[in-house]
Amino acid sequence: MSKPIDPTTTAAWNRLRELHNGFSANFREDFAQDPQRAGRFSFTAGDLFVDLSKAYINDDVKATLVELAKETNIAGRREAMYRGDHINVTENRAVLHTALRRPKDDSLTVDGQDVIADVHDVLERMYAFANKVRSGQWKGVTGKPLTTVVNIGIGGSDLGPVMAYEALKPYVKDGIECRFISNIDPTDVGETLRGVDPETVLFIVASKTFTTLETITNAKMARAWFLNQLKDRGIADAGAVAKHFVAVSTNLEKVAEFGIEPSNAFGFWDWVGGRYSVDSAVGLSLALAIGPDNFADFLAGFHTIDEHFATVAPEENVPLLMGLLNVWYVNFFGAATHAVLPYSQYLHRFAAYLQQLTMESNGKRVLWDGTEVTTATGEVFWGEPGTNGQHAFYQLIHQGTQLIPADFIAFANPTYALKDGDQDQHELFLGNFFAQTKALAFGKTADEVRAEGTPEEIVSARVFPGNKPTTSIMAPSLTPSVLGQLIALYEHITFVQGIVWGIDSFDQWGVELGKQMAKDLTPAIAGDADALAAQDPSTRMLVEYYHKNRS
């Protein structure tokens, strides 16, 4: 594995420092002096139309960012990822989520294995199973079709499926409902299973190793609930688990011990990170809900952006440019957060999904060779759907003192074309989408506020400084393909940033320490006096409070 390139030593980085020192955002002037700016800084990737004209970009900045990509060898690292080199160095693994959506007639041999053939073998098994459940051919212990799917997972085994299920609700088959359990808080199991009919439920336990503490704990609780419900109804439970539980796992021994037929386990591979796995067998609940044809379109959307990222010139390469702009914002303007603001209620879990993708990937403090980073890395991704966010946190973006780059996402066609007389509600909705980026870019001057007759003493409170950077992403409709394109876009944006910073974006050791300490604390919580005495004073005090107040 090659040594990471320190970006701060490149000529492009030094040039960016110079550009930043002389940079003063003035979108009013930029657009006035360059009537073609909107067109020159707008690009297409698949079905996505991406407007970067209200970003902190000009010809010099763009050219220098592209040069930074060359000097940090993003193209070389991208090719290494696509061909299956072990670029996840701390775990000595390939990074091949792009293989999950490659066509069946492709071929890619990695570590002696044809991974494309392996992927499509699992997909065909998933599709066959989905068709059996959707058609009613697969029946539960009492002979009824299964209509409620409960996915049990955590992290990528939950965030991806639930986000995609919510996003693609219009494509869900009538009569099928998906629910999701992730939190080890027993409330999650209790509330999710409220009102579920044990005779028509299908549980999917998603854990690659079938040892993930939260997932297996919740799966055991769900199994106990299921068997107790059958017992209360006087239904014999012989073989019931095998009819109502399937697994997304490669540990067939553990799967069988749980009571699931190993033939009903759908595997994936160590070269698929959890946060990149929704397009693998982890997406089984989605395939059940929207059907194999729509799931195939979902995968095709990913592949469209994979091909764009791999083949389009840097000057027109959307994920490359967006990733480089994020580096520009973080390392030169000190941006600590990044807002993602979808003008679609269906995408209400998209920001939460991106939090794991981006922050688990790039929240690192060492380079991939183990040495300290030389730059700030990562940013906090967050957001909510518009127009809800407008009445919550947009105030901070518009008039606060922090720089918060924001991505706005919208679709030309609504699922529900509702009207009140002549008022098209989707047009009213999109009016907000268009207005927000305009307001953030151009603001409102003191003279404009005065011209409205505003009393002088409150003029300053009503001034909008503008010059806030945004990206606008639009597509014709939110289809399975377009959702796949959006996810892949952000996957590759994340990759670009990680390569510039020289970090391993594909491990996640930072989630391990707290989980291990939680296991070690269990005896103290359960009442072991010696284990409690060994804790630090703060932890000991908190556990003692728990002991006194647990009824």
Side-chain angles (χ1 to χ4, degrees):
M1 179 58 61
S2 61
K3 185 176 177 61
I5 297 165
D6 182 348
T8 67
T9 66
T10 63
W13 196 273
N14 288 329
R15 176 59 180 151
L16 286 170
R17 283 197 188 102
E18 295 171 0
L19 290 171
H20 175 257
N21 289 338
F23 193 91
S24 179
N26 190 328
F27 286 124
R28 293 191 182 212
E29 186 176 295
D30 291 341
F31 280 90
Q33 292 183 353
D34 181 6
Q36 305 306 314
R37 178 179 173 86
R40 289 195 307 109
F41 292 112
S42 293
F43 307 92
T44 299
D47 294 308
L48 307 179
F49 179 75
V50 180
D51 177 10
L52 300 179
S53 66
K54 300 191 198 80
Y56 283 179
I57 192 170
N58 55 38
D59 291 331
D60 285 343
V61 169
K62 180 184 174 185
T64 308
L65 288 173
V66 168
E67 185 60 30
L68 178 65
K70 293 176 183 176
E71 292 187 35
T72 54
N73 193 29
I74 287 176
R77 300 292 293 177
R78 177 188 62 210
E79 291 165 9
M81 176 175 71
Y82 277 51
R83 68 176 174 253
D85 291 6
H86 286 211
I87 66 169
N88 178 352
V89 294
T90 70
E91 296 177 299
N92 191 27
R93 292 175 179 174
V95 176
L96 278 173
H97 48 279
T98 55
L100 296 170
R101 50 264 194 159
R102 286 175 60 167
K104 187 175 182 178
D105 56 4
D106 275 4
S107 179
L108 177 65
T109 300
V110 176
D111 299 332
Q113 194 70 23
D114 184 345
V115 298
I116 306 301
D118 290 347
V119 164
H120 282 273
D121 177 65
V122 173
L123 282 174
E124 287 170 7
R125 293 181 56 239
M126 286 170 58
Y127 294 164
F129 177 71
N131 283 329
K132 286 181 181 179
V133 173
R134 287 165 61 85
S135 68
Q137 182 182 347
W138 185 286
K139 292 181 171 57
V141 67
T142 60
K144 295 180 180 179
L146 306 184
T147 57
T148 302
V149 178
V150 178
N151 186 85
I152 304 173
I154 198 165
S157 297
D158 171 74
L159 285 165
V162 71
M163 178 277 292
Y165 173 74
E166 292 294 322
L168 298 177
K169 278 283 184 70
Y171 295 87
V172 174
K173 176 181 172 64
D174 288 344
I176 287 185
E177 177 196 12
C178 291
R179 300 186 182 193
F180 300 87
I181 296 171
S182 58
N183 201 330
I184 200 171
D185 182 345
T187 302
D188 201 10
V189 173
E191 287 293 333
T192 302
L193 296 182
R194 185 192 295 268
V196 169
D197 184 348
E199 297 179 51
T200 60
V201 66
L202 172 68
F203 292 97
I204 301 172
V205 184
S207 171
K208 185 186 298 185
T209 62
F210 224 72
T211 58
T212 308
L213 173 65
E214 297 90 343
T215 299
I216 300 309
T217 299
N218 282 333
K220 289 178 178 178
M221 291 300 101
R223 182 180 60 185
W225 170 90
F226 171 68
L227 294 175
N228 286 334
Q229 290 284 312
L230 294 185
K231 182 179 179 182
D232 290 346
R233 296 185 183 198
I235 299 169
D237 63 11
V241 171
K243 292 179 182 293
H244 290 263
F245 282 77
V246 299
V248 175
S249 179
T250 54
N251 191 338
L252 299 185
E253 182 179 347
K254 291 286 186 184
V255 166
E257 287 177 9
F258 187 89
I260 297 173
E261 290 288 342
S263 60
N264 295 328
F266 302 88
F268 58 117
W269 306 270
D270 65 5
W271 42 257
V272 183
R275 56 196 177 277
Y276 297 92
S277 66
V278 66
D279 45 342
S280 72
V282 167
L284 179 61
S285 58
L286 182 65
L288 286 161
I290 67 175
D293 289 346
N294 285 320
F295 194 85
D297 286 344
F298 180 57
L299 299 183
F302 281 92
H303 185 62
T304 295
I305 301 302
D306 294 343
E307 288 291 285
H308 174 97
F309 184 48
T311 63
V312 172
E315 293 77 10
E316 306 284 329
N317 195 303
V318 173
L320 178 70
L321 292 174
M322 289 181 68
L324 292 168
L325 278 170
N326 286 358
V327 170
W328 176 232
Y329 296 140
V330 169
N331 295 119
F332 295 90
F333 292 89
T337 79
H338 194 113
V340 178
L341 309 170
Y343 278 65
S344 169
Q345 187 60 29
Y346 286 123
L347 288 178
H348 69 103
R349 294 293 292 163
F350 192 58
Y353 174 79
L354 293 184
Q355 285 172 355
Q356 186 193 22
L357 172 64
T358 61
M359 294 161 69
E360 195 168 84
S361 294
N362 287 341
K364 309 292 170 61
R365 61 182 302 110
V366 297
L367 304 175
W368 70 63
D369 66 355
T371 59
E372 288 286 324
V373 296
T374 59
T375 66
T377 65
E379 66 258 71
V380 176
F381 269 70
W382 59 283
E384 287 287 336
T387 55
N388 291 1
Q390 293 175 199
H391 291 266
F393 52 76
Y394 277 39
Q395 170 69 41
L396 179 66
I397 304 176
H398 277 284
Q399 290 186 309
T401 58
Q402 300 180 46
L403 178 71
I404 303 173
D407 298 346
F408 287 74
I409 304 170
F411 306 95
N413 295 290
T415 300
Y416 299 101
L418 302 178
K419 288 188 175 183
D420 180 7
D422 293 331
Q423 176 65 67
D424 183 317
Q425 188 163 334
H426 189 61
E427 292 183 352
L428 176 63
F429 184 47
L430 286 190
N432 284 270
F433 167 80
F434 297 129
Q436 288 297 328
T437 60
K438 181 177 181 178
L440 285 164
F442 303 118
K444 195 173 191 179
T445 68
D447 286 343
E448 289 169 338
V449 174
R450 290 188 185 98
E452 296 174 340
T454 304
E456 188 62 33
E457 61 270 20
I458 63 169
V459 165
S460 61
R462 299 184 63 175
V463 167
F464 287 74
N467 300 314
K468 309 289 188 178
T470 63
T471 294
S472 297
I473 303 171
M474 296 195 73
S477 302
L478 180 53
T479 63
S481 174
V482 165
L483 180 63
Q485 292 173 50
L486 283 170
I487 297 170
L489 172 66
Y490 281 93
E491 286 179 348
H492 295 313
I493 289 169
T494 302
F495 172 84
V496 167
Q497 292 176 255
I499 298 306
V500 171
W501 290 325
I503 59 179
D504 184 344
S505 296
F506 303 102
D507 62 13
Q508 58 278 338
W509 299 107
V511 307
E512 297 298 324
L513 179 59
K515 292 167 66 174
Q516 183 58 51
M517 285 186 171
K519 291 180 182 178
D520 295 343
L521 270 165
T522 300
I525 298 169
D528 185 318
D530 291 337
L532 182 59
Q535 304 305 318
D536 66 272
S538 174
T539 302
R540 187 165 60 249
M541 175 185 67
L542 293 169
V543 173
E544 288 170 346
Y545 176 89
Y546 162 76
H547 287 158
K548 291 176 183 176
N549 288 277
R550 171 68 184 263
S551 58

